[in-house]
Structure formats: C-alpha cells, structure tokens
C-alpha cells in the first residue's frame, strides 16, 4: 500500500516562496519523520511555476502546482474548493498551511467541509504512543494546549516562526506536476490591496525600545514610559496592538505580527502580556526586560530579565535609582 | 437587515490567581467568573453601528456556554443588541470549536440572518475557527480579520477591508448573507448602558439545551495543558522594588545598555 501523504500548502508572492512556505514544509517534514508518510507540496495561484521550481530545486520534494488563471491574489473560496478536491483525490493524513492571513482564513472552513479536525497556530509536534500531538499556545501564550485529532485527516496551521525555514535538500527523486483549475469565485470578489500604516522609522533605527502594553492602564501613564525611554540615548517608544487600538499611540508604533518587527539591543516591555502576535515582532531583540505585575505573564518566557512589579510604581523607582546613582558615584565609577 | 453577533465568555483572569487552564469554560474549582471575550466586543460594536446606520436592522447576540457564563450575553444586550440566544452547555470544560460552530449553524440555519459577526479569535483558546466554520456550514462567504466594512447594494453585499501581513489590507466584496470576523481597532467598543443592562438581566434569553440536541462528535481532543517553554534566560529579580531597580540598573550598565553615570562620562 502506498504511504499516505502530508499536503504542505506553501504561500508564494512575486514568483518566490514566502518564508512561511518553508516553515510549513519544515512542519510537514517533522510529521513525516514520525510516520510513514510522504510530503507533497501544494502551490496555488495564477503563476505557481517559478515557486514550484524553487521548492523542487531546494528540497527535491514532490510538488503539485495548481494554476488558477485569473485569480491573481488569494481567494478563500478557490483555496477551499481546490484543496477539497485534492483531499478527495489523495486522502492525505494531514494538511499543513501557514497560520497567516490566508491559512487562518481558509483552513477552518476547509476542515469543516471535509470533516477534518482543525488545529490552528501549531507550535510543536510530538508523538506519544502512536498519537500525534499538536502543541499550541492558549490564553495569550500563558499556557500550551496539547491536542490530538480524532479524525482521519487533520488540517493544521503552523504558527509563524515556530519551525525553522531552513529546509535542506533531501529527496532527489521528486517531481513537479502542473495542473490548471479554472475557478470562478461565486460569492466574493477581490478588489485589490491598500497599504497599511508605515512603520515608524524611529523604531527600526532605535537602539533601545520601551514598549507600552494595555497594562499601563491609562493614557496618562504613557508619560512614565516616555520618561523611562528618555533615560536611554537613541531610544524609541513602541506599543502593543491594544494600546494603538485605543488611540494612545499611533499605529506606526505598533510592534508585532501586524505591526513592526524590531531588533533593538534592548527591549523593555511594560505591561505587555506576551501574546504570540506581539512576541513575533521582537524575536531579534538583543536583551529583553519585562515589567509585569502578573508573575505568570507569558512575556516572562521570552524575557532575559523578569521584573514582577506594578509598572506605575516601579518605573519611578527605577528612575529615582538612576538619578541617585548618577548623583552619588559608586566606587567603581570613582576609580575611572 | 438582520444581524447576529457571536460572543464567547472567557474566564476573567483578574478575579483569579495562579495559572489556570483558561480554555472554553475553564474549570478552576469554586465559582468561575466570566466576562465577554474582548475580541467579540469589536464584533458587537460593528453590528450596533450597522444597526444605527440602517433603520429597521436588528442585532441578535448568540453564545455557546455553560449557565454561569451568561454574562457575555448581558454585556451584548447592555451594549444595545436586541435579543439574546444562549446555547446552553451542561458543564464547563474544553469544547471543540467545530462543535461550537455546528451548534450555532444549526440554530442560525434558515433564520434569515444577512450578516454574522464574530471576533477574530477568543482570548482563551485562540483557535480563530468558529466564524469561518459557521460560514462554511451555512455556505456563506467569509472574510477574516476585518478592519472596515460597509453594506452596499441595498444590503445585498458588503464591502470589506481585511488585515493581511504587515498591516496591509486586502479589499473585497462579499455577497450577503456572509460572515465577518472582526479584528480589533475597527472601532472603539462602547460601554454597556446601565438601563439596558438592568433590562437585560430581567429578560430571559432564548435558551437551547445543547444536551437535548443530536450529539456532535468533536474532531479533536484536548490531551493536556502545560506551561510554555522558556525561550530566553528569564532571570527574575528579587527583593523590594528598590533592590530590583538597583539590580536592573547594574545589569543594564554591565551590558553597556545604559550610559554610565553622567559625571563618569568623559
Ligand atoms: C491576527 C492578529 C494579529 C495581531 N497582531 C498584533 C500585533 O502586531 N501586536 C500586538 O501587540 N498584538 C497583536 N495582536 C493582539 C494580541 O493577540 C494581544 O491581544 C495583544 O498583544 C495584547 O496586548 P497587551 O499585552 O498590551 O495587553 P494584555 O494582554 O491585556 O496584557 C496586559 C498585561 O499588563 C499587565 N499589567 C496590568 N497592569 C499592570 C501594572 N500596573 N503593572 C505592570 N503590568 C501590568 C497584565 O498582567 C498583562 O500581562 C494580534 C491579534 C490577532 C488576532
């Protein structure tokens, strides 16, 4: 009997595979390593040839490139219809897609249509006595929920950054299959794109970023964050999404998945819970300090230094300490 | 137009201490305090704005939750929704989003809703599945992470902008009936009015006992809940606030992340 397959739906744009595409492939290969399965990469779009060749050359995996003439951009209806047909044809054990604006959009509906389990934002995969376990964040990242599918097929979306996009070549015998599907969306029509808020240049250039979360409590407390930032040269102020949603900061200051990705030498998170969407923007930060009154806050798992304190009192205390230290030189400083 | 907002009660963290599993209908021993999922307030508010802009529009609010979690419905009515529907779960604990979506779809099918709104995800389980699953089960088009919407074509379609990566927006048109999952920032949800809340407390919601319905097999099981892994050093500063402040300063200086004291600079 032929091995069942794992379909890895890879996103692409401008003829290139997106990094998330390789992360999805990496996740599929991880599943493959547990079971006698074979990975099949699926590309959908009006011009899938170049990305299909890119994947084939880089990985040697089997690729199915589904060309959808006239559908220049993502269409949820088309994705669900095409993947439903592929599932019916190939009977895969798992379908992996990115937990992106596309994957998160089509995967739940697809799963409902084909009667599959849907497990979103998967961060880790393990096997325990023949059961594949999908681990994913819950409660804003405070906890990890481990789920197992009870259906023949699992549709999963892969949390960005959870699997390394460094996929090496392993299968010299792969092939590319080109198909054309003419799909006319019936109930939705794409009208193009609109640019988002441009990221604050100050954020990308800052050496130090002090970021405010909902935990600052009220807009007036932003001044605390500003005072703290002022203690550092080349610093900037950033914020979590709710702080921007409430209009306390402009959207150009938002850090995270749907905001700016930053890489300062020092990131100080004030009253930020540490949701995956926020943390996605600070992975490359050098040193992360978190100030949060909740000892169990998820931000402490991604911080180098954890300070369990109320920021409204701790920031003034720290600034007073800074002031004191610069008034009364320490012995070390005396010796210079 | 006839609108429906789906809301989920989540455990109110502020009323509890220590790590708990906060998945749907958490079980923590003792009484669990629930509040509305923040993400759903944006969906409710968006529904209320359509209701205000288009005379004759009604907005219903629906939840799938145990008895103790009815406060999410009260919140919806308090904000201005017309009617509440409670699909009542017998007990607290994890419920698969596929089961929630099927329960809602069953109730909604044939009820003539033009637009079904939901939050982009829940704060506890964070599946982001119920909205798009309802759409599929009712053969409706769906747009997720919506940041702007306007009904067009005399209520036959809806113009939608949805958020994609990097804050960019994808623009599309959906024929109604449709489902939208609403992203935060689309509006500023209003506070419930006291008089509406008081009235809501008196009116009983339409109640459907999930247990009395044909059973729906969940598609996945929750095996266990664990603590996340530490991805960085995670050194905890100890002592009184002043001591922590001094340690923080010392560490930042040692790492040359903050300039040395002013007088010591050249
Ligand atoms: C598709 C999608 C994209 C998203 N993109 C982003 C994004 O780009 N960026 C982003 O930030 N979010 C994003 N989010 C939202 C994200 O899921 C979280 O809701 C958000 O990051 C939470 O922000 P927060 O940490 O400021 O607020 P909360 O989660 O409410 O956390 C507040 C924290 O402050 C602490 N606190 C409270 N009072 C005090 C005090 N006095 N002193 C110290 N600490 C205190 C609390 O303990 C808590 O940990 C996105 C969500 C979705 C669904």
């Amino acid at each position: 009997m032929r091995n069942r397959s794992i379909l890895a739906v890879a996103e692409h744009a401008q003829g290139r595979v997106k990094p998330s595409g390789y992360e999805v492939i990496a996740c599929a290969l991880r599943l493959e390593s547990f079971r006698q399965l074979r990975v099949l990469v699926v590309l959908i779009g009006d011009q899938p040839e170049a990305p299909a060749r890119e994947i084939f050359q880089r990985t040697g995996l089997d690729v199915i490139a589904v060309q959808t003439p006239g559908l220049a951009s993502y269409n949820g209806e088309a994705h669900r219809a095409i993947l439903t047909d592929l599932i019916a044809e190939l009977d895969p054990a798992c379908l992996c897609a990115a937990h992106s604006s596309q994957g998160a959009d089509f995967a739940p509906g697809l799963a409902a249509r084909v009667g599959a389990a849907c497990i979103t934002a998967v961060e880790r995969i393990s096997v325990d006595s023949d059961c594949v376990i999908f681990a994913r964040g819950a409660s804003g990242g405070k906890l990890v929920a481990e789920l197992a599918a009870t259906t023949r097929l699992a549709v999963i979306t892969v949390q960005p950054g959870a699997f390394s996009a460094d996929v090496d070549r392993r299968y010299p015998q792969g092939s590319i299959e080109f198909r054309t599907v003419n799909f006319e969306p019936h109930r939705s029509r794409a009208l193009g794109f609109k640019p988002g808020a441009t990221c604050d240049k100050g954020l990308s250039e800052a050496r130090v970023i002090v970021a405010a979360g909902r935990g600052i409590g009220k807009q007036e407390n932003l001044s605390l964050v500003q005072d703290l930032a002022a203690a550092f040269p080349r610093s900037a102020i950033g914020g979590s999404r709710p702080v921007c949603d409430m209009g306390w900061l402009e959207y150009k200051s938002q850090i995270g998945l749907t905001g700016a990705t930053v890489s300062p030498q020092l990131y100080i998170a004030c009253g930020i819970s540490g949701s995956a969407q926020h943390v996605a923007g600070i992975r490359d930060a050098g040193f992360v300090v978190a100030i949060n009154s909740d000892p169990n806050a998820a931000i402490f798992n991604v911080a180098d230094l954890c300070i369990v304190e109320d920021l409204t009192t701790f920031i003034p205390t720290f600034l007073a300490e800074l002031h004191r230290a610069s008034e009364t030189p320490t012995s070390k400083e005396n010796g210079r | 137009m006839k609108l429906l907002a789906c809301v989920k009660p989540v455990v109110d963290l502020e009323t509890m201490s220590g790590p708990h599993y906060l998945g749907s209908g958490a079980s923590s021993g003792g009484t669990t305090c629930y509040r509305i999922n923040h993400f759903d307030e944006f969906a409710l508010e968006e529904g209320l704005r359509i209701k205000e802009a288009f005379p004759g529009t009604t907005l219903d609010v629906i939840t799938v939750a145990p008895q103790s979690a009815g406060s999410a419905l009260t919140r919806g009515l308090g904000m201005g929704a017309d009617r509440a529907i409670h699909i009542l779960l017998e007990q607290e604990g994890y419920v698969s989003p596929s089961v929630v979506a099927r329960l809602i779809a069953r109730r909604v099918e044939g009820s003539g809703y033009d637009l079904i709104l939901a939050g982009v995800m829940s704060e506890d389980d964070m599946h982001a599945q119920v909205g798009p699953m309802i759409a599929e089960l009712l053969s409706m088009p769906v747009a997720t992470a919506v940041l702007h919407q306007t009904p067009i074509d005399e209520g036959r379609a809806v113009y939608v902008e949805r958020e994609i990566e990097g804050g960019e927006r994808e623009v599309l048109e959906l024929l109604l009936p449709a489902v939208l999952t609403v992203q935060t920032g689309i509006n500023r949800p209003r506070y419930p009015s006291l008089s509406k809340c008081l009235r809501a407390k008196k009116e009983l919601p339409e109640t459907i006992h999930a247990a009395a319905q044909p059973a729906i097999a969940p598609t996945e099981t929750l095996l266990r809940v664990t603590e996340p892994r530490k991805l960085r050093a995670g050194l905890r500063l100890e002592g009184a606030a002043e001591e922590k402040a001094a340690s923080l300063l010392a560490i930042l200086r040692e790492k040359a992340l903050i300039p040395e004291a002013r007088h010591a600079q050249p």
Side-chain angles (χ1 to χ4, degrees), chain A residues 101 105 113 139 143 245 306, chain B residues 20 124 136 144 162 184 235:
Chain A
S101 65
D105 189 70
R113 187 177 301 182
S139 294
L143 297 166
D245 287 341
C306 311
Chain B
H20 294 268
D124 50 11
E136 174 62 34
T144 49
R162 62 184 290 262
T184 67
L235 176 71

Side-chain angles (χ1 to χ4, degrees), chain A residues 157-170:
Chain A
T157 62
V158 180
Q159 179 71 14
F163 291 83
S164 165
D166 289 330
V167 184
D168 48 340
R169 187 180 176 93
R170 33 169 93 202

Side-chain angles (χ1 to χ4, degrees), chain A residues 66-191:
Chain A
V66 182
Q67 194 187 8
T68 52
L71 281 184
S73 57
Y74 164 76
N75 179 281
E77 277 187 61
H79 268 66
R80 281 187 290 274
I82 290 165
L83 293 171
T84 299
D85 288 347
L86 273 180
I87 288 167
E89 177 187 329
L90 300 166
D91 183 31
C94 191
L95 181 143
C96 312
H99 194 66
S100 63
S101 65
Q102 300 188 9
D105 189 70
F106 75 74
L110 173 68
R113 187 177 301 182
V114 300
C118 187
I119 300 174
T120 47
V122 169
E123 292 177 356
R124 256 180 301 128
I125 299 176
S126 54
V127 164
D128 185 11
S129 57
D130 213 37
C131 170
V132 179
I133 301 167
F134 300 98
R136 58 187 303 285
S139 294
K142 265 190 166 177
L143 297 166
V144 175
E146 297 189 354
L147 299 161
T150 51
T151 48
R152 181 165 170 83
L153 165 68
V155 171
I156 70 167
T157 62
V158 180
Q159 179 71 14
F163 291 83
S164 165
D166 289 330
V167 184
D168 48 340
R169 187 180 176 93
R170 33 169 93 202
Y171 298 93
Q173 77 282 19
S175 67
I176 311 184
E177 185 192 328
F178 289 99
R179 301 179 174 194
T180 303
V181 174
N182 286 298
F183 186 87
E184 191 72 44
H186 305 293
R187 303 194 57 88
S188 59
R189 192 156 70 97
L191 299 173

Side-chain angles (χ1 to χ4, degrees), chain A residues 213-215 240-242 254-259 271-275 277-278 291-294 297 309-311, chain B residues 39 120-121 183:
Chain A
R214 193 171 5 218
S240 68
R241 182 168 183 128
Q254 185 191 312
I255 292 166
L257 191 66
T258 47
I272 292 180
S273 62
S275 69
Q277 293 85 13
H278 183 79
I291 308 169
N292 197 305
S293 50
D294 174 4
E309 283 291 337
D310 182 328
L311 68 93
Chain B
F39 291 98
V120 71
M121 67 173 183
Q183 174 60 301

